[in-house]
């Protein structure tokens, strides 16, 4: 097996890259491991937002599983802002850059399916398995897209330094990969289940610019109202973000940067409520004996249960918003 036989860039994404059109990569670990596989039964509250046109609403089918419906809505949000989506994931051992709707459906329903981070790619490729790619593995795919790397990528919240790192050093592989990715990652900061102070310090050590999109503060994924953590610089809109990204890639083409978009205020959860939910999540994780890659999905599910689905609504909102904003920035 060669590199080229493991990684396949779709024809649509290849043409877009060759013609210099805007391309936005989307991860699929959120689809396979971060979101429920049951239907929402109604449109997510996030789709009330006037930024999304009919094509985005139409892409979310409330009668199918949330993870699958959202995957389609993310791709539609990227298209509605004028960019080409490159959904990244693994099917039958192939790392696909630019999955079709059918391939996305297959991945969203696949069982067994691995949460594929960097360390897992070779194993899943060899055993022809299926996998949703984390931020780290998706960035690897961006780097190896043909004919040229993908420069923009959207996710919900990046992985980072987990609480209790001084006892169990659970530090997401996302951080190191982000630092050397050559990609601008649009996110809502890092997941609030983490130690965010420690995560910011780690990003600083790795020399990753942490840019606030219309904010001076590092967002906390699904919640707001916390003591502010400062970003390293601020951009006011997509145009200035695009200019900063272009300058960054000119000077440091192999390095990544974070562009942090706060969750929509109308849906963000108050910090104290979130903290209670996280505490119960940490207890379930401990009770289940969750280790390594299992920790994040267990915490996200427990937080959704504890907030009676409200954290899920914010999570969907953040994923959609970041895909849309990433496309606006990629278009320039
Ligand atoms: N953002 C979400 N939900 C998710 C994730 C991100 O809104 O499930 C996934 C991403 O793929 C990220 C991963 O890379 O969680 C981090 O997992 P870990 O902490 O195990 O590295
Ligand atoms: Mn981890």
């Amino acid at each position: 097996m060669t590199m080229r036989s493991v990684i396949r860039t779709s024809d649509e994404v290849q043409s877009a890259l060759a013609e210099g059109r805007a391309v936005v990569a989307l991860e699929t670990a959120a689809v396979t491991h971060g979101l429920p596989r049951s239907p929402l039964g109604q449109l997510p509250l996030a789709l009330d937002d006037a930024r999304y046109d009919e094509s985005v609403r139409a892409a979310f089918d409330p009668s199918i599983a949330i993870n699958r419906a959202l995957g389609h809505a993310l791709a539609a949000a990227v298209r509605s802002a004028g960019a080409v989506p490159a959904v990244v994931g693994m099917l039958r051992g192939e790392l696909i850059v630019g999955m079709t709707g059918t391939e996305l459906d297959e991945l969203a329903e696949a069982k067994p399916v691995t949460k594929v981070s960097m360390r897992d790619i070779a194993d899943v490729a060899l055993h022809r398995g299926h996998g949703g790619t984390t931020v780290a593995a998706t960035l690897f795919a961006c780097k190896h897209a043909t004919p040229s790397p993908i420069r923009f990528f959207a996710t919900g919240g990046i992985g980072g330094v987990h609480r209790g790192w001084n006892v169990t050093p659970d530090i997401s592989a996302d951080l190191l990969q982000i630092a050397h990715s050559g990609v601008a990652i649009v996110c809502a900061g890092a997941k609030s289940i983490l130690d965010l102070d420690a995560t910011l310090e780690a990003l600083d050590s790795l020399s990753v610019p942490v840019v606030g999109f219309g904010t001076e503060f590092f967002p906390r994924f699904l919640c707001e109202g916390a003591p502010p953590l400062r970003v390293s610089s601020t951009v006011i809109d997509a145009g200035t973000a695009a200019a900063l990204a272009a300058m960054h890639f000119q000077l440091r083409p192999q390095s990544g940067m974070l562009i942090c978009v706060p969750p929509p205020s109308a849906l963000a959860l108050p910090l104290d409520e979130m903290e209670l939910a996280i505490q119960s999540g940490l207890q379930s994780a401990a009770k289940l004996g969750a280790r390594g890659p299992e920790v994040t999905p267990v915490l996200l599910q427990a937080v959704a249960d504890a907030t009676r689905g409200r954290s899920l609504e914010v999570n969907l909102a953040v994923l959609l918003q970041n895909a849309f904003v990433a496309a606006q920035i990629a278009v320039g």
Side-chain angles (χ1 to χ4, degrees):
M1 252 188 280
T2 63
M3 176 84 121
R4 286 291 154 240
S5 70
V6 172
I7 307 180
R8 174 172 60 85
T9 307
S10 72
D11 290 344
E12 187 194 18
V13 172
Q14 284 199 38
S15 321
L17 289 170
E19 292 161 21
R21 283 187 281 135
V23 175
V24 173
L26 298 167
E27 54 129 325
T28 46
V31 171
T32 57
H33 289 79
L35 295 171
R37 289 189 179 205
S38 52
L40 191 59
Q42 69 212 16
L43 283 185
L45 298 172
L47 285 174
D48 290 340
D49 192 316
R51 284 175 297 179
Y52 306 127
D53 66 21
E54 212 25 62
S55 69
V56 185
R57 269 182 284 276
F60 190 99
D61 178 351
S63 71
I64 65 173
I66 299 172
N67 66 332
R68 217 178 115 193
L70 188 84
H72 289 281
L74 292 179
V78 169
R79 285 192 199 282
S80 77
V84 172
V87 176
V88 174
M90 293 190 80
L91 281 177
R92 286 170 288 279
E94 190 178 40
L95 179 57
I96 306 170
V97 183
M99 298 184 109
T100 62
T102 316
E103 288 167 338
L104 177 63
D105 284 339
E106 190 182 351
L107 180 63
E109 288 174 350
K111 231 180 183 175
V113 63
T114 305
K115 175 175 158 185
V116 175
S117 198
M118 286 300 283
R119 62 169 204 188
D120 311 297
I121 298 174
D123 186 71
V124 175
L126 186 65
H127 296 103
R128 310 230 177 260
H130 308 310
T133 48
T134 63
V135 170
T138 307
L139 290 172
F140 170 81
C142 287
K143 195 175 242 177
H144 294 286
T146 43
S148 59
I150 296 175
R151 291 293 191 188
F152 296 93
F153 165 70
T155 181
I158 60 163
V161 181
H162 281 259
R163 299 178 188 198
W165 53 267
N166 53 336
V167 182
T168 309
D170 182 350
I171 299 170
S172 177
D174 286 359
L175 294 182
L176 190 61
Q177 199 58 29
I178 287 167
H180 303 294
S181 61
V183 176
I185 295 121
V186 179
C187 62
K191 288 197 262 291
S192 31
I193 52 179
L194 304 169
D195 181 334
L196 292 186
D197 278 288
T199 300
L200 268 182
E201 292 296 349
L203 286 165
D204 190 35
S205 305
L206 290 165
S207 305
V208 177
V210 178
V211 180
F213 188 86
T215 178
E216 287 166 43
F217 305 116
F218 189 61
R220 293 174 183 251
F221 185 41
L222 304 179
C223 62
E224 62 182 17
L229 299 166
R230 291 204 167 263
V231 288
S232 60
S233 74
T234 297
V235 292
I236 50 167
D237 56 21
T240 51
L244 182 59
M247 178 63 83
H248 171 83
F249 291 134
Q250 201 175 321
L251 298 172
R252 303 172 60 201
Q254 309 295 338
S255 305
M257 73 188 291
L258 285 186
I259 300 175
C260 303
V261 189
S265 227
L267 295 175
L269 295 172
L271 180 75
D272 42 359
E273 186 181 345
M274 189 56 155
E275 268 310 314
L276 284 175
I278 292 170
Q279 289 311 325
S280 82
L282 290 169
Q283 279 166 17
S284 355
K287 220 179 295 163
L288 289 167
R291 285 274 178 284
E294 304 150 10
V295 173
T296 297
V298 168
L299 286 178
L300 287 175
Q301 182 56 49
V303 167
D305 292 342
T307 60
R308 278 187 257 99
R310 284 172 59 223
S311 74
L312 175 61
E313 288 281 4
V314 201
N315 202 350
L316 298 176
V318 153
L319 286 161
L320 273 165
Q321 167 172 268
N322 294 344
F324 187 74
V325 170
Q328 289 183 312
I329 297 171
V331 167

